[in-house]
Amino acid sequence: MFEKLEVGSQVIYTDKHFVDRVALVTAIWGSPDWRDHCPDAMGQMHVPCINLVYVSGDSAKDDPYGRQLERDTSVVHASSQPAGGSCWRMADEPRPPMGVVEK
């Protein structure tokens, strides 16, 4: 069975620079047990967006408490993000491929 998504769960956040970061869930926008449900008529799983917090990757962002924390809000799941960045996934899910931009 899959790990349940809940506030405090550890997820992998692929940031806008396509760097994977370990993050903690601070809010869930949708059903946290989406993996237990069957797809709807359109084949959608209605994966929730989340708010999350992670340790900054910028070494200049240090203070007396250590490396500063960064937050992101309404982050979509990797399955809903064709660009491959700025998305979250569970640790057992594959890394999303970087999308291709058409000009």
XYZ file of all heavy atoms in Angstrom:
801
model
N 0.856 -1.189 0.000
C 0.000 0.000 0.000
C 0.890 1.237 0.000
O 1.975 1.239 0.541
C -0.905 -0.024 1.237
C -1.911 1.108 1.332
S -2.954 1.457 -0.093
C -3.911 -0.005 -0.247
N 0.398 2.297 -0.596
C 1.133 3.536 -0.705
C 1.153 4.292 0.615
O 0.243 4.162 1.428
C 0.486 4.450 -1.759
C 0.511 3.867 -3.134
C -0.645 3.507 -3.773
C 1.712 3.696 -3.802
C -0.631 2.988 -5.045
C 1.746 3.181 -5.076
C 0.571 2.822 -5.698
N 2.189 5.097 0.789
C 2.245 5.978 1.950
C 1.135 7.020 1.807
O 0.926 7.567 0.727
C 3.609 6.666 1.990
C 3.759 7.638 3.130
C 5.097 8.363 3.092
O 6.016 7.897 2.420
O 5.192 9.404 3.735
N 0.446 7.297 2.898
C -0.632 8.286 2.866
C -0.053 9.694 2.923
O 0.887 9.960 3.660
C -1.573 8.076 4.052
C -2.757 8.998 4.030
C -3.688 8.729 5.174
C -4.836 9.712 5.150
N -5.678 9.572 6.318
N -0.605 10.567 2.135
C -0.194 11.968 2.132
C -0.918 12.678 3.272
O -2.143 12.596 3.389
C -0.562 12.622 0.796
C -0.166 14.082 0.639
C 1.355 14.225 0.623
C -0.750 14.647 -0.648
N -0.164 13.338 4.140
C -0.750 14.112 5.230
C 0.196 15.244 5.592
O 1.364 15.249 5.187
C -1.038 13.223 6.442
C 0.144 12.446 6.947
C -0.252 11.363 7.943
O -1.449 11.110 8.137
O 0.648 10.766 8.526
N -0.307 16.220 6.323
C 0.535 17.318 6.788
C 1.678 16.709 7.603
O 1.447 15.872 8.470
C -0.282 18.332 7.617
C 0.638 19.353 8.270
C -1.314 19.026 6.730
N 2.891 17.084 7.264
C 4.075 16.529 7.904
C 4.732 15.418 7.096
O 5.843 15.004 7.413
N 4.064 14.937 6.045
C 4.657 13.894 5.201
C 5.877 14.438 4.472
O 5.933 15.611 4.098
C 3.666 13.416 4.132
O 2.616 12.693 4.677
N 6.822 13.560 4.233
C 8.006 13.914 3.456
C 7.727 13.597 1.990
O 7.240 12.517 1.664
C 9.202 13.106 3.934
C 10.463 13.359 3.149
C 11.619 12.541 3.671
O 11.878 12.542 4.877
N 12.301 11.851 2.805
N 7.999 14.553 1.122
C 7.839 14.371 -0.320
C 9.115 14.850 -1.016
O 9.982 15.466 -0.391
C 6.620 15.145 -0.879
C 5.321 14.624 -0.276
C 6.747 16.641 -0.644
N 9.200 14.584 -2.302
C 10.285 15.107 -3.116
C 9.729 16.273 -3.919
O 8.718 16.138 -4.617
C 10.853 14.039 -4.078
C 11.254 12.780 -3.327
C 12.018 14.618 -4.889
C 12.339 12.966 -2.290
N 10.371 17.420 -3.806
C 9.976 18.627 -4.531
C 11.024 18.888 -5.599
O 12.208 19.047 -5.297
C 9.901 19.798 -3.555
C 9.703 21.144 -4.193
C 8.626 21.388 -5.043
C 10.560 22.200 -3.924
C 8.431 22.635 -5.609
C 10.370 23.452 -4.475
C 9.307 23.660 -5.325
O 9.118 24.896 -5.881
N 10.616 18.888 -6.861
C 11.506 19.265 -7.952
C 11.270 20.745 -8.184
O 10.179 21.151 -8.596
C 11.213 18.448 -9.224
O 11.319 17.060 -8.907
C 12.200 18.798 -10.323
N 12.284 21.570 -7.881
C 12.089 23.020 -7.947
C 12.151 23.541 -9.382
O 12.305 22.775 -10.335
C 13.081 23.744 -7.024
C 14.528 23.691 -7.496
O 14.797 23.353 -8.663
O 15.403 24.010 -6.663
N 12.039 24.862 -9.534
C 11.996 25.465 -10.868
C 13.305 25.317 -11.634
O 13.342 25.508 -12.845
C 11.606 26.939 -10.759
C 12.611 27.788 -10.011
C 12.107 29.196 -9.866
C 13.111 30.029 -9.062
N 12.594 31.387 -8.873
N 14.371 24.950 -10.940
C 15.661 24.712 -11.595
C 15.890 23.217 -11.821
O 16.999 22.804 -12.129
C 16.795 25.290 -10.745
C 16.655 26.758 -10.503
N 16.817 27.706 -11.488
C 16.327 27.441 -9.385
C 16.616 28.903 -10.989
N 16.312 28.779 -9.709
N 14.867 22.404 -11.624
C 14.882 20.947 -11.798
C 15.816 20.259 -10.804
O 16.393 19.220 -11.102
C 15.225 20.564 -13.241
C 14.258 21.153 -14.232
C 14.562 22.312 -14.916
C 13.022 20.562 -14.442
C 13.663 22.877 -15.800
C 12.118 21.122 -15.333
C 12.440 22.278 -16.015
N 15.953 20.838 -9.619
C 16.734 20.247 -8.537
C 15.756 19.588 -7.569
O 14.784 20.218 -7.147
C 17.584 21.310 -7.806
C 18.311 20.712 -6.610
C 18.561 21.970 -8.766
N 16.008 18.323 -7.237
C 15.164 17.619 -6.273
C 15.538 18.014 -4.853
O 16.717 18.081 -4.508
C 15.325 16.105 -6.411
C 14.625 15.559 -7.637
O 13.808 16.276 -8.231
O 14.901 14.391 -7.987
N 14.528 18.291 -4.038
C 14.730 18.658 -2.647
C 13.756 17.856 -1.781
O 12.612 17.633 -2.176
C 14.470 20.141 -2.442
C 15.302 20.992 -3.375
C 15.340 22.422 -2.957
N 16.176 23.190 -3.854
C 17.499 23.196 -3.852
N 18.155 22.466 -2.997
N 18.182 23.938 -4.702
N 14.220 17.449 -0.620
C 13.331 16.808 0.345
C 12.502 17.925 0.981
O 13.052 18.948 1.385
C 14.137 16.044 1.413
C 13.214 15.487 2.480
C 14.958 14.940 0.762
N 11.206 17.733 1.041
C 10.317 18.765 1.569
C 9.289 18.142 2.510
O 9.038 16.932 2.464
C 9.601 19.473 0.418
N 8.705 18.987 3.351
C 7.625 18.575 4.244
C 6.334 19.262 3.818
O 6.329 20.456 3.507
C 7.946 18.944 5.685
C 9.140 18.243 6.309
C 9.387 18.771 7.715
C 8.938 16.736 6.342
N 5.255 18.519 3.845
C 3.938 19.032 3.477
C 3.405 19.877 4.627
O 3.398 19.444 5.779
C 2.970 17.874 3.178
C 1.568 18.395 2.891
C 3.490 17.028 2.032
N 2.947 21.095 4.307
C 2.354 21.967 5.324
C 0.850 22.156 5.124
O 0.157 22.569 6.050
C 3.038 23.343 5.344
O 2.910 23.967 4.059
C 4.517 23.215 5.699
N 0.342 21.876 3.922
C -1.103 21.955 3.659
C -1.412 21.106 2.428
O -0.564 20.940 1.553
C -1.553 23.391 3.423
N -2.628 20.568 2.384
C -3.075 19.731 1.272
C -4.343 20.340 0.697
O -5.304 20.578 1.427
C -3.341 18.286 1.739
C -2.078 17.694 2.360
C -3.847 17.432 0.581
C -2.304 16.393 3.102
N -4.343 20.572 -0.602
C -5.492 21.138 -1.301
C -6.121 20.049 -2.158
O -5.818 19.900 -3.329
C -5.064 22.331 -2.156
C -4.370 23.374 -1.365
C -3.032 23.615 -1.315
C -4.970 24.306 -0.474
N -2.761 24.632 -0.439
C -3.936 25.085 0.089
C -6.283 24.557 -0.076
C -4.176 26.087 1.010
C -6.519 25.565 0.840
C -5.476 26.316 1.364
N -6.970 19.244 -1.559
C -7.612 18.139 -2.257
C -7.628 16.908 -1.371
O -7.342 16.975 -0.182
N -7.926 15.765 -1.961
C -8.051 14.517 -1.204
C -6.687 13.892 -0.949
O -5.993 13.525 -1.896
C -8.928 13.532 -1.976
O -8.974 12.304 -1.305
N -6.282 13.740 0.321
C -4.975 13.156 0.620
C -4.881 11.666 0.302
O -3.800 11.120 0.204
C -4.800 13.404 2.113
C -6.170 13.553 2.645
C -6.996 14.131 1.525
N -6.012 10.994 0.093
C -5.993 9.561 -0.186
C -6.332 9.270 -1.650
O -6.946 8.276 -1.971
C -6.939 8.816 0.745
C -8.372 9.289 0.626
O -8.625 10.329 -0.014
O -9.257 8.612 1.170
N -5.873 10.134 -2.559
C -6.196 9.986 -3.973
C -5.735 8.652 -4.546
O -6.344 8.128 -5.455
C -5.615 11.141 -4.783
C -4.201 10.911 -5.256
C -3.833 10.477 -6.492
C -2.989 11.077 -4.529
N -2.464 10.370 -6.576
C -1.923 10.729 -5.380
C -2.689 11.480 -3.224
C -0.596 10.783 -4.973
C -1.360 11.537 -2.829
C -0.341 11.202 -3.699
N -4.682 8.054 -4.009
C -4.164 6.798 -4.564
C -5.104 5.623 -4.308
O -5.010 4.605 -4.977
C -2.799 6.486 -3.977
C -1.706 7.358 -4.528
C -0.397 6.994 -3.906
N 0.724 7.445 -4.698
C 1.984 7.182 -4.405
N 2.283 6.471 -3.340
N 2.953 7.624 -5.158
N -5.994 5.750 -3.347
C -6.934 4.673 -3.034
C -8.181 4.730 -3.913
O -9.008 3.834 -3.865
C -7.364 4.742 -1.565
C -6.210 4.473 -0.625
O -5.260 3.781 -1.037
O -6.257 4.957 0.516
N -8.328 5.783 -4.701
C -9.527 5.971 -5.522
C -9.258 5.565 -6.961
O -8.145 5.651 -7.447
C -9.970 7.428 -5.502
C -10.434 7.900 -4.159
N -10.127 7.269 -2.978
C -11.178 8.959 -3.806
C -10.669 7.920 -1.971
N -11.306 8.960 -2.444
N -10.304 5.147 -7.630
C -10.194 4.834 -9.051
C -10.301 6.125 -9.847
O -10.916 7.089 -9.399
C -11.330 3.900 -9.471
S -11.229 2.291 -8.677
N -9.719 6.151 -11.039
C -9.849 7.353 -11.873
C -11.316 7.640 -12.189
O -12.135 6.737 -12.241
C -9.083 6.993 -13.146
C -8.227 5.839 -12.784
C -8.925 5.120 -11.674
N -11.618 8.914 -12.420
C -12.983 9.277 -12.792
C -13.206 8.937 -14.270
O -12.353 8.326 -14.925
C -13.251 10.753 -12.488
C -12.425 11.716 -13.327
O -11.828 11.288 -14.337
O -12.370 12.898 -12.963
N -14.339 9.335 -14.809
C -14.688 9.004 -16.190
C -13.678 9.549 -17.202
O -13.512 8.987 -18.283
C -16.085 9.536 -16.504
N -13.001 10.612 -16.864
C -12.009 11.216 -17.765
C -10.614 10.636 -17.537
O -9.655 11.060 -18.159
C -11.975 12.733 -17.568
C -13.280 13.434 -17.854
S -13.759 13.321 -19.579
C -12.558 14.387 -20.306
N -10.496 9.680 -16.605
C -9.197 9.071 -16.321
C -8.334 9.888 -15.381
O -7.159 9.607 -15.206
N -8.902 10.907 -14.766
C -8.166 11.777 -13.859
C -8.197 11.221 -12.440
O -9.198 10.681 -12.007
C -8.764 13.193 -13.850
C -8.744 13.873 -15.200
C -7.340 14.187 -15.661
O -6.498 14.573 -14.866
N -7.094 14.011 -16.939
N -7.080 11.388 -11.720
C -7.005 10.912 -10.342
C -7.247 12.032 -9.333
O -7.351 11.779 -8.159
C -5.646 10.282 -10.065
C -5.428 8.984 -10.804
S -6.548 7.690 -10.316
C -5.799 7.175 -8.797
N -7.338 13.278 -9.772
C -7.554 14.408 -8.877
C -6.510 14.440 -7.766
O -6.825 14.418 -6.587
C -8.972 14.411 -8.300
C -10.020 14.505 -9.358
N -10.242 15.654 -10.087
C -10.879 13.592 -9.844
C -11.208 15.448 -10.963
N -11.610 14.201 -10.838
N -5.249 14.450 -8.172
C -4.139 14.493 -7.229
C -4.101 15.884 -6.609
O -4.189 16.887 -7.317
C -2.807 14.176 -7.945
C -1.664 14.143 -6.962
C -2.906 12.851 -8.686
N -3.974 15.985 -5.299
C -4.025 17.296 -4.647
C -2.786 18.146 -4.903
O -1.697 17.630 -5.167
C -4.124 16.940 -3.168
C -3.496 15.600 -3.057
C -3.812 14.898 -4.336
N -2.970 19.448 -4.817
C -1.854 20.388 -4.744
C -1.463 20.466 -3.270
O -2.278 20.198 -2.394
C -2.273 21.781 -5.203
S -2.629 21.904 -6.953
N -0.217 20.860 -3.014
C 0.224 20.978 -1.627
C 1.013 22.257 -1.416
O 1.525 22.854 -2.360
C 1.091 19.771 -1.200
C 2.379 19.691 -2.029
C 0.304 18.481 -1.272
C 3.375 18.656 -1.523
N 1.096 22.668 -0.170
C 2.060 23.678 0.264
C 3.184 22.904 0.925
O 2.943 21.878 1.568
C 1.445 24.642 1.275
C 0.369 25.521 0.675
O 0.029 25.408 -0.493
N -0.190 26.388 1.496
N 4.413 23.398 0.777
C 5.542 22.671 1.346
C 6.637 23.616 1.818
O 6.643 24.804 1.489
C 6.093 21.659 0.339
C 6.392 22.118 -1.088
C 7.703 22.860 -1.173
C 6.404 20.927 -2.010
N 7.551 23.051 2.607
C 8.697 23.783 3.132
C 9.932 22.908 2.946
O 9.858 21.686 3.053
C 8.491 24.181 4.616
C 8.348 22.975 5.502
C 9.588 25.092 5.106
N 11.066 23.558 2.603
C 12.311 22.819 2.384
C 13.494 23.707 2.758
O 13.363 24.931 2.872
C 12.425 22.341 0.935
C 12.377 23.451 -0.092
C 13.549 23.994 -0.614
C 11.166 23.969 -0.540
C 13.501 25.017 -1.550
C 11.118 24.982 -1.462
C 12.287 25.504 -1.975
O 12.236 26.523 -2.891
N 14.655 23.092 2.937
C 15.872 23.831 3.272
C 16.410 24.471 1.994
O 16.527 23.808 0.961
C 16.935 22.895 3.889
C 18.235 23.631 4.131
C 16.406 22.281 5.175
N 16.735 25.761 2.061
C 17.226 26.489 0.903
C 18.494 25.850 0.341
O 19.369 25.398 1.087
C 17.519 27.940 1.285
O 18.077 28.626 0.168
N 18.614 25.843 -0.959
C 19.812 25.351 -1.620
C 20.860 26.429 -1.790
O 21.972 26.170 -2.238
N 20.523 27.661 -1.415
C 21.422 28.808 -1.557
C 22.268 28.937 -0.292
O 21.762 29.280 0.769
C 20.596 30.067 -1.791
C 21.423 31.314 -2.047
O 22.661 31.274 -1.852
O 20.825 32.328 -2.428
N 23.572 28.701 -0.416
C 24.452 28.755 0.756
C 24.559 30.158 1.345
O 24.974 30.314 2.492
C 25.839 28.223 0.406
O 26.429 29.013 -0.617
N 24.172 31.176 0.609
C 24.188 32.540 1.126
C 23.005 32.802 2.063
O 22.996 33.799 2.782
C 24.165 33.546 -0.024
N 22.017 31.925 2.043
C 20.838 32.105 2.895
C 21.053 31.392 4.231
O 20.382 30.421 4.550
C 19.586 31.597 2.190
C 19.198 32.450 1.005
C 17.886 32.023 0.439
C 17.445 32.972 -0.668
N 16.138 32.627 -1.198
N 22.001 31.890 4.979
C 22.322 31.382 6.307
C 21.964 32.439 7.342
O 22.048 33.634 7.060
C 23.825 31.088 6.406
C 24.123 29.622 6.574
O 23.183 28.816 6.564
O 25.305 29.285 6.727
N 21.574 32.023 8.500
C 21.329 32.941 9.611
C 21.759 32.240 10.895
O 22.276 31.124 10.834
C 19.873 33.413 9.633
C 18.843 32.303 9.805
O 19.186 31.253 10.392
O 17.709 32.493 9.376
N 21.578 32.848 12.061
C 22.040 32.212 13.304
C 21.417 30.841 13.581
O 21.951 30.058 14.360
C 21.631 33.214 14.389
C 21.560 34.525 13.687
C 21.088 34.211 12.297
N 20.307 30.523 12.933
C 19.643 29.237 13.146
C 20.109 28.170 12.155
O 19.721 27.017 12.263
C 18.122 29.397 13.025
C 17.567 30.336 14.055
C 17.212 31.636 13.710
C 17.420 29.933 15.376
C 16.716 32.507 14.667
C 16.927 30.801 16.333
C 16.575 32.082 15.971
O 16.088 32.950 16.912
N 20.920 28.541 11.182
C 21.368 27.609 10.149
C 20.845 28.048 8.796
O 20.529 29.222 8.579
N 20.772 27.112 7.894
C 20.262 27.419 6.546
C 18.788 27.775 6.638
O 18.012 27.130 7.333
C 20.458 26.197 5.648
C 20.161 26.400 4.176
C 21.123 27.290 3.410
N 22.485 26.857 3.433
C 23.039 26.047 2.551
N 22.326 25.560 1.562
N 24.309 25.723 2.658
N 18.390 28.815 5.929
C 17.004 29.276 5.970
C 16.063 28.299 5.269
O 16.479 27.516 4.419
C 16.895 30.650 5.319
C 17.612 31.731 6.090
C 17.545 33.071 5.387
O 16.911 33.230 4.352
N 18.214 34.065 5.961
N 14.811 28.383 5.644
C 13.773 27.570 5.029
C 13.120 28.346 3.898
O 13.024 29.567 3.945
C 12.712 27.186 6.057
C 13.206 26.393 7.261
C 12.056 26.137 8.216
C 13.856 25.106 6.831
N 12.677 27.625 2.907
C 11.924 28.227 1.807
C 10.586 27.509 1.724
O 10.458 26.354 2.143
C 12.690 28.082 0.493
C 14.054 28.723 0.578
C 14.496 29.373 -0.706
O 13.657 29.618 -1.582
O 15.691 29.645 -0.804
N 9.602 28.201 1.204
C 8.252 27.644 1.083
C 7.760 27.793 -0.340
O 8.167 28.698 -1.049
C 7.285 28.383 2.011
C 7.612 28.243 3.468
C 6.677 29.115 4.322
N 6.973 28.944 5.711
C 6.442 28.010 6.490
N 5.565 27.172 5.994
N 6.778 27.927 7.757
N 6.878 26.907 -0.706
C 6.175 27.059 -1.975
C 4.723 26.646 -1.728
O 4.452 25.821 -0.851
C 6.806 26.209 -3.069
C 6.587 26.796 -4.454
O 5.677 27.637 -4.618
O 7.314 26.414 -5.377
N 3.818 27.233 -2.488
C 2.397 26.985 -2.268
C 1.727 26.491 -3.542
O 2.193 26.763 -4.653
C 1.673 28.266 -1.797
O 1.827 29.281 -2.791
C 2.247 28.760 -0.482
N 0.652 25.769 -3.359
C -0.148 25.232 -4.464
C 0.721 24.521 -5.501
O 0.583 24.719 -6.700
C -0.975 26.345 -5.122
O -1.850 26.918 -4.183
N 1.600 23.662 -5.017
C 2.508 22.917 -5.892
C 1.757 21.709 -6.443
O 1.193 20.921 -5.686
C 3.760 22.453 -5.109
C 4.691 21.661 -6.011
C 4.473 23.645 -4.498
N 1.766 21.557 -7.760
C 1.048 20.452 -8.398
C 1.877 19.182 -8.367
O 3.106 19.214 -8.249
C 0.660 20.789 -9.853
C -0.266 21.983 -9.910
C 1.890 20.995 -10.722
N 1.207 18.060 -8.487
C 1.871 16.759 -8.540
C 2.596 16.619 -9.885
O 2.198 17.204 -10.893
C 0.842 15.632 -8.378
C 1.457 14.287 -8.291
N 1.554 13.455 -9.388
C 2.036 13.632 -7.253
C 2.153 12.331 -9.027
N 2.458 12.409 -7.736
N 3.652 15.818 -9.908
C 4.447 15.609 -11.123
C 3.597 15.115 -12.292
O 3.872 15.452 -13.447
C 5.581 14.626 -10.838
N 2.549 14.359 -12.025
C 1.690 13.850 -13.099
C 0.876 14.951 -13.766
O 0.350 14.757 -14.861
C 0.742 12.777 -12.557
O -0.158 13.341 -11.617
N 0.775 16.107 -13.117
C 0.003 17.229 -13.649
C 0.892 18.340 -14.192
O 0.391 19.400 -14.541
C -0.888 17.823 -12.548
O -1.721 16.844 -12.009
N 2.213 18.107 -14.245
C 3.154 19.163 -14.608
C 3.972 18.731 -15.825
O 4.973 18.037 -15.686
C 4.066 19.485 -13.426
C 5.143 20.512 -13.669
C 4.631 21.824 -14.181
O 4.199 21.902 -15.311
N 4.687 22.847 -13.361
N 3.565 19.140 -17.030
C 4.304 18.725 -18.225
C 5.708 19.322 -18.325
O 6.560 18.777 -19.013
C 3.423 19.196 -19.382
C 2.573 20.267 -18.817
C 2.396 19.948 -17.356
N 5.973 20.413 -17.616
C 7.302 21.029 -17.670
C 8.329 20.222 -16.879
O 9.524 20.279 -17.147
C 7.253 22.459 -17.136
N 7.882 19.459 -15.879
C 8.783 18.622 -15.088
C 9.395 19.302 -13.889
O 10.012 18.659 -13.064
N 9.240 20.616 -13.749
C 9.758 21.336 -12.593
C 8.626 21.965 -11.808
O 7.486 22.006 -12.266
N 8.943 22.460 -10.611
C 7.932 23.057 -9.726
C 6.785 22.086 -9.477
O 5.614 22.415 -9.669
C 7.407 24.378 -10.290
O 8.432 25.322 -10.377
N 7.148 20.865 -9.058
C 6.136 19.850 -8.787
C 6.612 18.951 -7.652
O 7.772 18.986 -7.265
C 5.848 19.023 -10.030
S 7.277 18.156 -10.703
N 5.683 18.171 -7.106
C 6.023 17.253 -6.016
C 5.691 15.833 -6.426
O 4.928 15.586 -7.347
C 5.270 17.636 -4.740
C 3.793 17.363 -4.782
C 2.812 18.199 -5.259
C 3.129 16.180 -4.344
N 1.593 17.602 -5.132
C 1.756 16.358 -4.580
C 3.569 14.983 -3.783
C 0.810 15.402 -4.264
C 2.631 14.016 -3.467
C 1.260 14.233 -3.705
N 6.293 14.889 -5.698
C 5.983 13.476 -5.875
C 6.352 12.739 -4.595
O 7.124 13.235 -3.783
C 6.725 12.898 -7.072
C 8.220 12.813 -6.890
C 8.918 12.330 -8.167
N 10.300 12.034 -7.966
C 11.287 12.911 -7.943
N 11.037 14.191 -8.091
N 12.543 12.532 -7.757
N 5.812 11.552 -4.441
C 6.177 10.702 -3.316
C 7.530 10.065 -3.634
O 7.920 9.965 -4.800
C 5.114 9.627 -3.087
C 3.729 10.177 -2.776
S 3.665 11.216 -1.307
C 3.347 9.991 -0.061
N 8.235 9.623 -2.609
C 9.579 9.060 -2.787
C 9.581 7.819 -3.676
O 10.577 7.548 -4.347
C 10.188 8.742 -1.431
N 8.477 7.078 -3.728
C 8.428 5.854 -4.538
C 8.049 6.115 -5.995
O 7.955 5.181 -6.783
C 7.473 4.839 -3.919
C 6.027 5.311 -3.882
O 5.774 6.519 -4.079
O 5.142 4.472 -3.633
N 7.850 7.375 -6.364
C 7.474 7.704 -7.731
C 8.709 8.147 -8.523
O 9.630 8.745 -7.958
C 6.430 8.820 -7.738
C 5.121 8.384 -7.108
C 4.093 9.496 -7.081
O 4.363 10.542 -6.471
O 3.035 9.300 -7.680
N 8.736 7.877 -9.841
C 9.900 8.256 -10.643
C 10.015 9.773 -10.822
O 9.014 10.490 -10.779
C 9.650 7.569 -11.984
C 8.174 7.399 -12.058
C 7.704 7.206 -10.630
N 11.257 10.217 -11.023
C 11.511 11.635 -11.276
C 10.859 12.030 -12.599
O 10.979 11.308 -13.590
C 13.010 11.875 -11.342
C 13.384 13.301 -11.627
C 14.918 13.453 -11.695
N 15.287 14.703 -12.296
C 15.352 15.859 -11.663
N 15.056 15.928 -10.378
N 15.707 16.955 -12.286
N 10.186 13.177 -12.642
C 9.546 13.592 -13.901
C 10.608 14.031 -14.914
O 11.636 14.606 -14.542
C 8.664 14.778 -13.483
C 9.328 15.311 -12.259
C 9.940 14.128 -11.567
N 10.384 13.747 -16.197
C 11.329 14.218 -17.215
C 11.195 15.728 -17.401
O 10.098 16.283 -17.221
C 10.913 13.463 -18.470
C 9.464 13.169 -18.264
C 9.281 12.994 -16.776
N 12.278 16.385 -17.738
C 12.213 17.817 -18.014
C 11.439 17.990 -19.314
O 11.712 17.314 -20.307
C 13.611 18.411 -18.149
C 13.585 19.924 -18.263
S 15.172 20.729 -18.574
C 16.230 20.024 -17.365
N 10.482 18.883 -19.310
C 9.655 19.119 -20.485
C 10.414 19.801 -21.600
O 11.527 20.285 -21.432
N 9.803 19.832 -22.775
C 10.392 20.471 -23.944
C 9.544 21.701 -24.274
O 8.330 21.637 -24.284
C 10.391 19.489 -25.146
C 10.907 20.175 -26.386
C 11.220 18.259 -24.810
N 10.218 22.799 -24.536
C 9.529 24.032 -24.886
C 9.468 24.156 -26.392
O 10.473 24.007 -27.088
C 10.271 25.261 -24.288
C 9.587 26.549 -24.710
C 10.352 25.148 -22.799
N 8.271 24.404 -26.925
C 8.121 24.646 -28.354
C 8.027 26.141 -28.573
O 7.314 26.832 -27.866
C 6.862 23.965 -28.879
C 6.968 22.466 -28.914
C 5.782 21.832 -29.595
O 5.224 22.442 -30.521
O 5.425 20.725 -29.193
N 8.765 26.619 -29.564
C 8.739 28.064 -29.870
C 8.243 28.295 -31.270
O 8.345 27.486 -32.117
C 10.134 28.657 -29.723
C 10.595 28.639 -28.280
C 11.945 29.289 -28.187
C 12.394 29.276 -26.734
N 13.640 29.966 -26.545
